[in-house]
Amino acid sequence: MALMITDECINCDVCEPECPNQAIYLGPEIYEIDPARCTECVGHFDQPQCVQVCPVACIPVNPQHVESRETLWQKYQRLTTDAPVPAAGSKPPAA
């Protein structure tokens, strides 16, 4: 299941940097989650990191995108496999 951010979001900016899949972005009014990139942190952490840090508890499961843990794992594998691989000897991108 992908997660979603409700309109209770206060735009505090703590969730976006916690997402290992870069699924969270600032929408027109509040932060939003791209369901194609959200794995609920499967493959990275035991619990969704955005949910852990949200001070107003506005990140529930998105009923429009119900997925099994296996499906989330497959999405994680696809996302990490699709990531560009740096050439041997190249430096990682600057943070």
Side-chain angles (χ1 to χ4, degrees):
M1 298 162 270
L3 300 173
M4 63 183 279
I5 298 175
T6 68
D7 60 3
E8 295 166 341
C9 175
I10 59 172
N11 290 332
C12 67
D13 303 319
V14 298
C15 61
E16 183 183 24
E18 295 299 318
C19 181
N21 296 318
Q22 299 174 336
I24 300 174
Y25 60 95
L26 185 58
E29 296 180 24
I30 60 172
Y31 278 91
E32 298 179 15
I33 297 177
D34 178 354
R37 297 195 66 82
C38 179
T39 64
E40 292 186 41
C41 290
V42 167
H44 295 283
F45 301 100
D46 292 334
Q47 299 292 322
Q49 296 302 287
C50 60
V51 173
Q52 298 296 313
V53 299
C54 181
V56 293
C58 68
I59 309 177
V61 169
N62 186 339
Q64 301 279 325
H65 297 279
V66 177
E67 299 169 288
S68 69
R69 191 152 182 87
E70 178 61 28
T71 302
L72 293 171
W73 175 251
Q74 291 170 359
K75 187 189 304 185
Y76 159 77
Q77 290 179 316
R78 179 180 44 80
L79 289 169
T80 56
T81 301
D82 289 348
V85 177
S90 67
K91 295 180 180 178

